[in-house]
Amino acid sequence: MIQLIKNYIRPYTKNCILGALAKLVEAILELVSPILMAKIINFGIPNKDKSYIIQMGLSILLISTLGVISALYCQYSASVACVGIGGNIRLAIVKKINTFSYKNLDKFGTNTLNNILTSDINYIQDAIAKCIRLLSRTPFLCIGAIIMSFTINVQLTLIFLIMIPLISVVLIILMRLTSKLYSLSRKKLDELTLIINENLTGIKSIRSFRKFSFEKNKVSNKSIDLEISNNKVVFFSSLTSPLTSLIVNIGIIAVLYFGAIKVYNGHLLAGDILALSTYATKILNSLIVTANLINVFPKAFTASVRVNEILNEEPDLKFYDETKNIKTKNNDFTIEFKNVSFNLLENKILKDINFKLRKGETLGIIGVTGSGKTTLINLLQRFYDVTDGEILLYGNNIKNYSKKDLRNKFSIVQQKSILLSDTIKDNLTLGNKNVSEEEIISALKNADAFDFVIEKENNLNYKISEGANSFSGGQKQRLNLSRGFLKKAPILILDDSLSALDYKTDKKIMNNIKNNINNENLIIISQRVSSIMGADKILVLSETGDLVNIGSHDYLLKNCDIYKNIFNSQINLK
Amino acid sequence: MRNLKNYSFLFNKKSKIYISICLISALITSLTYITSTLYISKCIGYLIGKHNVNFTLLGKNLFILFILFLVNSLFTWVLSIISNKFANKLITNLRITLFNKLNKIPIFYFETTSIGNIISIFTNDINNVGDTISVSIISLFSGIVTIIICLIIMLYLNVKITLLVLFVTAFNFLVTYITSRISKPIFASQQQIIGDLTSFTSDVIGNQKLIIALNGESEKLSIFENINNNFFHTVKNAMFISAITNPVTRFLENFSYLLIGIFGGIITINDGLSIGIISAFLIYSAQFSKPFNEISSIITNIQTGFASLDRIIYFLNLKEDNENNKTEKLPENLESKINFNNVCFSYIKDKPLIENLNFSVNPNDTIAIVGPTGAGKTTIANLLMRFYEIDKGNILIDNIDINKISKNNLRSHIGMVLQDTWLFSGTIKENIMYSNSKGSEEDMVKASKIANAHTFISNLEKGYDTYISTQNNILSEGEKQLISIARTIFANPDILILDEATSSIDTLTEIKIQEAFNKIMKNKTSFVIAHRLSTIQNATKILVLNKGKIIEIGSHNELLEKKGFYYNLYNSQFE
Ligand SMILES: Nc1ncnc2c1ncn2[C@@H]1O[C@H](COP(=O)(O)OP(=O)(O)OP(=O)(O)O)[C@@H](O)[C@H]1O
Ligand SMILES: Nc1ncnc2c1ncn2[C@@H]1O[C@H](COP(=O)(O)OP(=O)(O)OP(=O)(O)O)[C@@H](O)[C@H]1O
Ligand SMILES: [Mg+2]
Ligand SMILES: [Mg+2]
């Protein structure tokens, strides 16, 4: 955790140090004013010297004012520093996530990433603020009090010297214990959040299966589980403050007893004992503050472990900053797969795929469910690296491209329609900001989406709610298509992106793509023969991830049984 | 002032026990704390001088002091445990109550509210309430007890100085109250920016794969930097404001200490009181004002707690589906005859979607609903499932108005595969068996075979025990649909609705599913919403829907002969 903070403390180092110093000043002033008050009592009142009393009073007022100013300064610095450091860490995480590949993302899961960005960082922030505000004071007060007691009596001070390490040990043990228990209950809370999240996204399914009471039981059980686990944490964490006070109080008893012996022997006066026990109380008060502080640390520790896990994760894909050795000679082939195989988690998903696509050609991909169609285009865009073989883009291995160059070659319309909870316009321009209103409208028209967008209030500025539930399945898909069109990359990929559309609309959009969209190459994955039969090349994938055959529609009808079967299953209308 | 009755639902009989224990512990801790101060000065009193210490009395008093300390620590612990337990219990109950409420809110609410916001009620707001309760029980209870005891002792010592102390304390309290008032808008804007941050993360980080594919990382990063900066400025200020109270009250505390010193001193000089009284006053006035400081330092805490509680209560008061008077029941052996009579429906007022929809379905028919996208096909299924209430007309099943039966009873007879596939985190087995708590594992395999999902599931390393979740996308879109079909088959409903259930599945697989389906569907009525001809051509009746109206109705061949809308729709693909 300390390392983590160290890495992100700049430019707030100044605030941290000055804040802690200001706190120190306040603590010193805090030790001074009782001395002045003692003077009022010891000299002012017995001498009936009212002007002395007022004079001392004004000094105390001055000191307290200085105290409050430095305290406010400390609070301000602490706020700046902790929120600033938290923000730095948050930014670092988001930047890190931006370097993650699909594999990295799958490893953590979005739920965890979200929790880390919100609550975990807050815990760290909290811990920093409390450190600056309170922790700098405690050692000072302890040391100050010990020095003062030394001047009174060395032997009795030994009691303090035993007490303080004892308390430290107790605090450390308790902290270890609660830390462990706390991360357990933290995990349980994450699980519970996930369940509730799924209940919200799947509310229709759950209601249709009437599984509510089942879900309710699940949530009750998890909640009770969490409660028990939280209670365990509380059992130990709330021990800190009573245990420290007990130790200090026993110290006070010891001071009184051994002090009494010293008084009896004439080494000390009663007033000295009073002073010693006052210092003990001072130590106690500051230690109790520290003890309460310790409840914050287990949370912050757990949080920083999670944060570090993200920050230390190696991005699974390495990209060059600049695209390397681009061949200047004109290459005829846009895409070339050479003996490409791909395994994921020991599963062979694609085997030995070979094909070439010329500039200007359209590629169709068809194959049974789970045959690897989506995987194939994921490899092409380098969301994963191939296990074997290589993929060439314009004659150059895709690994030689910089991330930006590579991704700007493709416009993808993904299989599952996703809309962010933003305005329609923001959603459409996600892949490309530099488009005019006219271009947006023409993209919408090409995707046959203009009519229903215009009907929504505020048209392009209509705010889409999470999950985009106020759109029908086909409408969501058409908005996704418009977004793909607007990115205007040379290679347009449609991954089963017309599946929720009726044939008429499908045909209309395909025609629009042919006539109005200027892309060099088009890749269409579809289960509809009608959508791909016009393609120059069609890949037929088998369920085992093999490339069964490749060729034009006419060629495949003659030479590929699978393709023929698929075609026949769809064609017998006429 | 807040109406405390609104919050009474938080407490039950058991809470009384908890609260009493807390009160007693608070009383004991405060009492022991104050008496121990007395005993320390008493012990010091025995140290008169050289060879003049009464060790027996001192020993006795030290022993009593030890017991006091022990009891104090013990009950501080008990107080903290019990108040936290109480808060935790309350959180659990609240969470369960809230979750219960989820089931009673109309679907409409969830389609217009961001999920992030609801989640934050379940996590943040509940936690805030819990924290507030545990913190305020400890501070308030022991605080009040301490205040009362100190007040009594001070009154006993000197009335004039006590009045001075009271005046100063009231002033302190006023100042903190005013600061907390002033800071309110700052906290509101803090809540807002926290909300912005949360929705950014859940939306953008949640869809990071899409962002990567669209190359939108740098753009989203700059938006995030913006939010992060705003977050810094707003939260920093809010934090500072809430941190002001503490030093300011400490300053005021010192100030009052001073006032008591000066005026107390002057009163002492004028009235000829002893120094002992003034020093005792200094101790007790400090002890007296300490709880006030503690309370003022948790005022912001309490404010956020109440704000959260208000959000929770708002959620709990959302309008519920009215399920009373739904006394009729569908017969056990359903014939499954369905009638839509003059059904009107609109999602948005004044924008009618479905007007005067009429059709009837005979038992064991397969009805296909086709039409352009956005025509209202899913809406019809939603109405039959009563996810939405119709505005006019009625829907009958076996001549019983579905509005007169409970949703539970209705849905127990209907199985639906939704257009948007939903699987939850768990094994494939759990996902399939979800739809029917009585089915056996054999039935599950049977259902998977019908849905053609058995082959690919068996090929997975762990088969049916493979863990799937929204986080690890190990299934292709089509495979997810297959599982979702298997799940609905496993439920073995009387009426089946398939809403584009096979849209991502290849036609060869689909034909296999269909063949298996035809066998089990003999005695069931089913609705099939689809575009693909292969899916619908065998239906007994095809409804052609456009803009919320039925424009053609008939069998596949009849509609082709008509050469109308349907004919055009399907011929268009090979033109
Ligand atoms: N929750 C909602 N709030 C407002 N409007 C809605 C809502 N759900 C659907 N709509 C609108 O109602 C119309 C019909 O939607 P519905 O989902 O029934 O279409 P559909 O026929 O199933 O289309 P698709 O084939 O694209 O799935 C659409 O215009 C849609 O925008
Ligand atoms: N992240 C992953 N980890 C493990 N297996 C995966 C992963 N992603 C996909 N698979 C598996 O790889 C196979 C191919 O998946 P892919 O999504 O490419 O299929 P698809 O051809 O697009 O199918 P569909 O037509 O259903 O979209 C599937 O069997 C799937 O279970
Ligand atoms: Mg796919
Ligand atoms: Mg639909």
Side-chain angles (χ1 to χ4, degrees):
Chain A
M1 176 162 133
I2 292 169
Q3 192 57 42
L4 180 71
I5 293 171
K6 231 189 221 162
N7 290 342
Y8 296 99
I9 200 168
R10 277 192 330 148
Y12 304 106
T13 328
K14 197 185 70 187
N15 298 84
C16 286
I17 295 171
L18 289 182
L21 278 178
K23 195 75 204 180
L24 214 66
V25 171
E26 195 215 345
I28 294 172
L29 296 174
E30 195 183 321
L31 280 183
V32 173
S33 74
I35 296 176
L36 296 180
M37 184 56 80
K39 282 191 175 163
I40 294 185
I41 295 175
N42 290 343
F43 306 110
I45 298 176
N47 300 339
K48 304 200 182 227
D49 187 347
K50 283 185 196 166
S51 69
Y52 182 82
I53 292 177
I54 289 170
Q55 191 191 335
M56 280 296 129
L58 286 177
S59 326
I60 293 177
L61 185 64
L62 186 71
I63 285 172
S64 321
T65 316
L66 281 179
V68 76
I69 289 170
S70 53
L72 287 179
Y73 182 75
C74 163
Q75 298 291 24
Y76 185 74
S77 313
S79 308
V80 171
C82 76
V83 183
I85 295 172
N88 277 349
I89 297 177
R90 199 178 291 112
L91 188 61
I93 293 177
V94 171
K95 279 187 176 156
K96 186 76 184 192
I97 291 176
N98 275 344
T99 69
F100 278 3
S101 70
Y102 280 22
K103 245 187 207 161
N104 295 122
L105 288 170
D106 287 343
K107 181 177 161 193
F108 292 106
T110 46
N111 201 37
T112 317
L113 293 177
N114 283 337
N115 283 342
I116 288 175
L117 278 174
T118 46
S119 53
D120 286 86
I121 290 188
N122 277 347
Y123 290 136
I124 295 177
Q125 231 168 254
D126 217 31
I128 297 172
K130 297 231 158 104
C131 270
I132 298 175
R133 283 192 195 136
L134 305 170
L135 209 56
S136 58
R137 220 184 104 168
T138 312
F140 176 78
L141 275 179
C142 282
I143 293 166
I146 287 175
I147 291 173
M148 299 280 197
S149 357
F150 257 119
T151 60
I152 298 171
N153 187 289
V154 178
Q155 279 162 321
L156 287 182
T157 313
L158 281 180
I159 295 173
F160 295 165
L161 291 182
I162 297 169
M163 211 166 74
I164 290 172
L166 194 65
I167 290 172
S168 314
V169 170
V170 168
L171 287 184
I172 288 168
I173 291 173
L174 282 175
M175 195 160 104
R176 284 257 165 93
L177 263 173
T178 35
S179 237
K180 257 195 207 123
L181 291 171
Y182 179 74
S183 59
L184 243 156
S185 73
R186 172 81 219 181
K187 226 180 242 147
K188 291 199 170 133
L189 181 65
D190 279 359
E191 282 169 22
L192 189 63
T193 319
L194 183 67
I195 294 178
I196 291 170
N197 203 330
E198 286 180 344
N199 262 281
L200 292 170
T201 49
I203 193 134
K204 268 192 189 167
S205 301
I206 291 169
R207 287 193 186 181
S208 78
F209 292 126
R210 299 173 298 123
K211 290 305 275 190
F212 188 75
S213 47
F214 173 81
E215 294 294 331
K216 196 179 109 188
N217 277 343
K218 210 152 87 177
V219 168
S220 312
N221 288 341
K222 287 265 173 202
S223 300
I224 291 169
D225 222 28
L226 178 68
E227 182 189 335
I228 293 170
S229 152
N230 277 339
N231 281 341
K232 271 188 202 148
V233 176
V234 164
F235 187 83
F236 291 107
S237 70
S238 51
L239 201 53
T240 41
S241 148
L243 213 53
T244 22
S245 21
L246 189 63
I247 295 174
V248 174
N249 285 331
I250 289 175
I252 292 179
I253 294 179
V255 167
L256 287 174
Y257 182 74
F258 292 109
I261 296 175
K262 292 224 175 280
V263 172
Y264 187 79
N265 294 334
H267 296 304
L268 281 178
L269 293 175
D272 299 328
I273 307 295
L274 181 65
L276 279 176
S277 68
T278 315
Y279 288 128
T281 325
K282 274 248 181 296
I283 293 176
L284 172 69
N285 283 337
S286 65
L287 278 177
I288 284 182
V289 171
T290 324
N292 285 334
L293 193 69
I294 275 173
N295 292 337
V296 186
F297 279 120
K299 294 184 185 182
F301 271 129
T302 316
S304 61
V305 169
R306 284 157 58 107
V307 167
N308 274 329
E309 231 169 88
I310 305 265
L311 292 175
N312 296 334
E313 173 80 4
E314 271 299 308
D316 163 58
L317 299 176
K318 294 263 180 292
F319 284 95
Y320 292 111
D321 289 337
E322 292 285 334
T323 305
K324 278 201 346 191
N325 54 24
I326 296 214
K327 295 193 178 104
T328 37
K329 72 167 183 175
N330 233 345
N331 195 302
D332 277 348
F333 293 104
T334 310
I335 297 166
E336 185 172 354
F337 271 56
K338 281 188 181 167
N339 305 318
V340 170
S341 298
F342 180 64
N343 305 346
L344 246 183
L345 312 173
E346 314 293 311
N347 280 352
K348 288 198 172 75
I349 294 177
L350 287 172
K351 291 176 204 154
D352 203 25
I353 308 283
N354 282 290
F355 73 90
K356 287 180 181 182
L357 190 70
R358 271 176 207 284
K359 260 186 200 157
E361 282 184 332
T362 298
L363 177 71
I365 306 177
I366 197 164
V368 295
T369 296
S371 53
K373 303 178 293 295
T374 303
T375 309
L376 190 135
I377 55 158
N378 280 345
L379 290 178
L380 175 61
Q381 296 169 86
R382 212 178 160 213
F383 296 144
Y384 298 98
D385 268 340
V386 294
T387 316
D388 264 320
E390 58 177 353
I391 300 173
L392 306 183
L393 187 66
Y394 302 110
N396 196 359
N397 192 317
I398 53 170
K399 289 185 182 169
N400 289 333
Y401 282 87
S402 74
K403 192 162 154 185
K404 191 162 155 256
D405 283 347
L406 183 65
R407 297 280 148 80
N408 279 338
K409 296 280 185 291
F410 302 102
S411 292
I412 164 98
V413 182
Q414 290 181 320
Q415 191 168 11
K416 192 175 165 73
S417 313
I418 297 173
L419 294 167
L420 306 183
S421 50
D422 248 330
T423 60
I424 291 183
K425 188 174 171 184
D426 286 338
N427 263 291
L428 293 182
T429 57
L430 190 60
N432 182 1
K433 275 281 140 188
N434 303 317
V435 287
S436 66
E437 189 109 339
E438 286 90 64
E439 284 172 303
I440 296 179
I441 288 172
S442 88
L444 281 172
K445 281 185 175 156
N446 285 330
D448 198 36
F450 186 66
D451 292 342
F452 70 85
V453 169
I454 215 77
E455 273 187 17
K456 295 280 176 193
E457 53 182 327
N458 303 330
N459 307 334
L460 282 179
N461 290 323
Y462 175 79
K463 181 101 165 67
I464 300 175
S465 73
E466 218 164 297
N469 287 312
S470 55
F471 290 103
S472 80
Q475 290 171 339
K476 276 187 248 183
Q477 224 169 31
R478 282 179 280 165
L479 287 174
N480 271 264
L481 276 167
S482 324
R483 181 170 64 202
F485 295 162
L486 279 172
K487 196 175 169 210
K488 296 184 176 166
I491 304 170
L492 176 64
I493 306 176
L494 308 181
D495 185 357
D496 212 6
S497 320
L498 302 159
S499 65
L501 305 180
D502 56 286
Y503 284 105
K504 220 172 179 172
T505 317
D506 177 333
K507 197 76 198 170
K508 201 155 131 200
I509 296 175
M510 288 307 291
N511 278 335
N512 289 341
I513 293 176
K514 214 182 278 165
N515 302 329
N516 307 341
I517 311 271
N518 299 318
N519 52 282
E520 275 176 28
N521 287 86
L522 174 64
I523 301 178
I524 308 174
I525 298 177
S526 180
Q527 302 293 358
R528 293 181 185 172
V529 174
S530 58
S531 303
I532 54 166
M533 56 194 276
D536 301 288
K537 275 184 190 144
I538 300 169
L539 302 182
V540 184
L541 293 177
S542 77
E543 53 200 305
T544 46
D546 292 291
L547 180 56
V548 181
N549 217 327
I550 177 166
S552 69
H553 174 70
D554 293 332
Y555 168 85
L556 288 173
L557 268 189
K558 284 189 201 112
N559 297 301
C560 179
D561 285 342
I562 298 184
Y563 187 78
K564 207 162 76 190
N565 287 341
I566 297 176
F567 181 71
N568 285 336
S569 69
Q570 298 181 16
I571 196 65
N572 45 5
L573 176 65
K574 285 181 181 166
Chain B
M1 213 43 221
R2 287 165 196 285
N3 187 356
L4 284 177
K5 256 193 197 149
N6 287 348
Y7 306 123
S8 58
F9 74 95
L10 289 172
F11 304 101
N12 55 23
K13 272 185 203 146
K14 257 198 169 162
S15 353
K16 268 189 197 155
I17 303 175
Y18 279 114
I19 292 179
S20 329
I21 297 179
C22 288
L23 260 177
I24 294 170
S25 310
L27 189 73
I28 295 175
T29 41
S30 308
L31 268 178
T32 45
Y33 177 57
I34 293 166
T35 10
S36 64
T37 327
L38 279 176
Y39 267 87
I40 290 178
S41 40
K42 208 170 169 190
C43 286
I44 291 176
Y46 293 126
L47 315 178
I48 300 166
K50 200 174 173 179
H51 301 303
N52 194 358
V53 176
N54 188 340
F55 275 102
T56 41
L57 269 179
L58 178 72
K60 212 167 114 195
N61 281 306
L62 281 181
F63 183 71
I64 293 172
L65 198 56
F66 176 71
I67 301 288
L68 283 174
F69 284 147
L70 203 63
V71 171
N72 180 274
S73 284
L74 190 67
F75 278 88
T76 315
W77 192 31
V78 170
L79 177 60
S80 166
I81 289 179
I82 299 292
S83 60
N84 274 295
K85 263 199 170 158
F86 175 59
N88 286 340
K89 175 119 249 137
L90 202 131
I91 286 180
T92 308
N93 289 342
L94 205 51
R95 201 174 264 133
I96 295 172
T97 315
L98 275 171
F99 193 79
N100 249 334
K101 176 77 186 183
L102 269 189
N103 192 34
K104 296 179 186 142
I105 300 173
I107 290 277
F108 180 73
Y109 177 76
F110 298 97
E111 309 209 316
T112 47
T113 313
S114 110
I115 288 174
N117 277 340
I118 306 177
I119 295 267
S120 126
I121 295 179
F122 273 90
T123 49
N124 271 337
D125 288 330
I126 285 189
N127 270 347
N128 284 345
V129 171
D131 278 353
T132 308
I133 287 179
S134 61
V135 171
S136 46
I137 283 184
I138 295 176
S139 305
L140 283 180
F141 282 17
S142 44
I144 289 169
V145 176
T146 313
I147 289 170
I148 293 172
I149 297 174
C150 286
L151 196 62
I152 293 171
I153 296 180
M154 286 194 299
L155 281 173
Y156 170 76
L157 287 173
N158 184 293
V159 179
K160 258 193 206 162
I161 307 183
T162 309
L163 285 178
L164 183 68
V165 172
L166 279 180
F167 172 74
V168 172
T169 314
F171 180 68
N172 278 0
F173 211 64
L174 194 71
V175 171
T176 35
Y177 180 75
I178 290 170
T179 17
S180 76
R181 266 286 133 122
I182 293 172
S183 54
K184 221 174 182 179
I186 296 177
F187 286 120
S189 63
Q190 167 171 266
Q191 222 53 43
Q192 177 63 38
I193 189 84
I194 289 176
D196 287 353
L197 186 76
T198 321
S199 38
F200 177 87
T201 55
S202 79
D203 212 36
V204 174
I205 304 295
N207 291 314
Q208 181 71 8
K209 285 190 178 174
L210 173 75
I211 310 282
I212 291 177
L214 290 170
N215 207 4
E217 293 112 307
S218 53
E219 189 214 316
K220 286 291 168 192
L221 182 66
S222 66
I223 294 178
F224 173 77
E225 278 176 334
N226 221 332
I227 295 178
N228 207 26
N229 272 337
N230 284 340
F231 186 89
F232 170 71
H233 291 294
T234 319
V235 175
K236 173 198 75 184
N237 289 341
M239 203 177 227
F240 178 54
I241 293 280
S242 67
I244 279 181
T245 19
N246 193 355
V248 168
T249 43
R250 210 126 35 84
F251 172 70
L252 290 174
E253 188 190 335
N254 282 340
F255 189 60
S256 48
Y257 190 71
L258 178 70
L259 281 184
I260 294 162
I262 295 173
F263 290 102
I266 293 173
I267 291 172
T268 317
I269 293 171
N270 293 345
D271 296 3
L273 293 174
S274 78
I275 294 176
I277 287 183
I278 191 76
S279 45
F281 250 99
L282 286 175
I283 292 174
Y284 286 111
S285 75
Q287 283 186 354
F288 177 75
S289 62
K290 206 171 135 210
F292 284 103
N293 295 336
E294 265 166 18
I295 292 167
S296 73
S297 73
I298 60 165
I299 273 184
T300 45
N301 215 318
I302 291 177
Q303 269 179 346
T304 29
F306 269 112
S308 291
L309 196 54
D310 286 342
R311 265 195 298 280
I312 289 171
I313 287 172
Y314 174 79
F315 186 80
L316 287 178
N317 285 337
L318 283 175
K319 213 174 151 225
E320 296 183 1
D321 283 336
N322 189 3
E323 280 295 87
N324 299 331
N325 322 325
K326 313 274 174 184
T327 44
E328 289 190 44
K329 268 199 160 159
L330 288 178
E332 261 322 300
N333 297 317
L334 203 65
E335 269 191 53
S336 309
K337 183 170 142 35
I338 298 166
N339 292 78
F340 274 59
N341 296 329
N342 290 318
V343 172
C344 297
F345 173 76
S346 60
Y347 285 106
I348 303 160
K349 261 201 185 126
D350 307 327
K351 272 198 186 171
L353 176 65
I354 289 179
E355 284 175 284
N356 291 322
L357 189 73
N358 284 296
F359 68 88
S360 63
V361 181
N362 292 323
N364 309 337
D365 273 3
T366 299
I367 301 295
I369 306 177
V370 301
T373 97
K377 305 181 291 294
T378 303
T379 308
I380 290 181
N382 281 341
L383 296 179
L384 188 58
M385 287 298 272
R386 274 191 53 214
F387 286 138
Y388 294 91
E389 303 291 336
I390 52 178
D391 301 332
K392 248 202 279 178
N394 54 32
I395 302 172
L396 309 178
I397 298 181
D398 285 7
N399 294 322
I400 300 172
D401 189 339
I402 60 166
N403 230 336
K404 295 206 174 107
I405 51 183
S406 73
K407 289 188 173 121
N408 226 359
N409 184 246
L410 173 70
R411 290 173 190 162
S412 69
H413 292 276
I414 310 179
M416 179 170 179
V417 181
L418 294 167
Q419 191 168 8
D420 285 325
T421 312
W422 176 78
L423 300 176
F424 59 88
S425 314
T427 60
I428 292 180
K429 192 202 278 177
E430 284 166 354
N431 266 286
I432 297 178
M433 293 181 81
Y434 187 69
S435 62
N436 185 352
S437 42
K438 293 191 192 93
S440 67
E441 237 164 87
E442 258 164 58
D443 293 336
M444 174 194 71
V445 174
K446 226 186 258 168
S448 308
K449 280 184 177 156
I450 294 172
N452 229 282
H454 182 70
T455 331
F456 92 82
I457 298 174
S458 320
N459 282 340
L460 294 169
E461 200 186 326
K462 288 190 185 153
Y464 284 92
D465 292 319
T466 308
Y467 184 84
I468 52 173
S469 75
T470 36
Q471 320 228 5
N472 73 347
N473 272 302
I474 55 170
L475 298 178
S476 79
E477 287 306 317
E479 288 167 344
K480 286 184 205 160
Q481 280 195 333
L482 293 181
I483 290 182
S484 138
I485 295 171
R487 181 170 59 191
T488 303
I489 293 172
F490 185 68
N492 196 18
D494 296 316
I495 301 169
L496 191 72
I497 305 173
L498 303 172
D499 187 1
E500 309 254 16
T502 50
S503 64
S504 297
I505 296 168
D506 65 284
T507 37
L508 295 181
T509 309
E510 193 188 358
I511 288 171
K512 285 189 211 153
I513 298 175
Q514 207 118 58
E515 280 164 5
F517 244 79
N518 287 340
K519 280 182 210 144
I520 61 158
M521 290 314 295
K522 277 209 185 89
N523 312 319
K524 295 178 203 293
T525 303
S526 56
F527 288 85
V528 179
I529 300 173
H531 295 300
R532 257 191 242 148
L533 186 65
S534 43
T535 327
I536 50 175
Q537 61 185 357
N538 297 324
T540 9
K541 214 191 261 178
I542 299 173
L543 306 181
V544 185
L545 204 67
N546 192 18
K547 299 189 174 143
K549 289 197 185 73
I550 294 178
I551 48 171
E552 285 175 12
I553 198 162
S555 74
H556 177 65
N557 288 331
E558 287 165 11
L559 290 177
L560 280 189
E561 271 166 31
K562 231 182 195 173
K563 299 217 160 82
F565 196 88
Y566 181 81
Y567 178 83
N568 279 331
L569 198 62
Y570 281 93
N571 264 342
S572 59
Q573 65 172 316
F574 294 112
E575 266 165 10

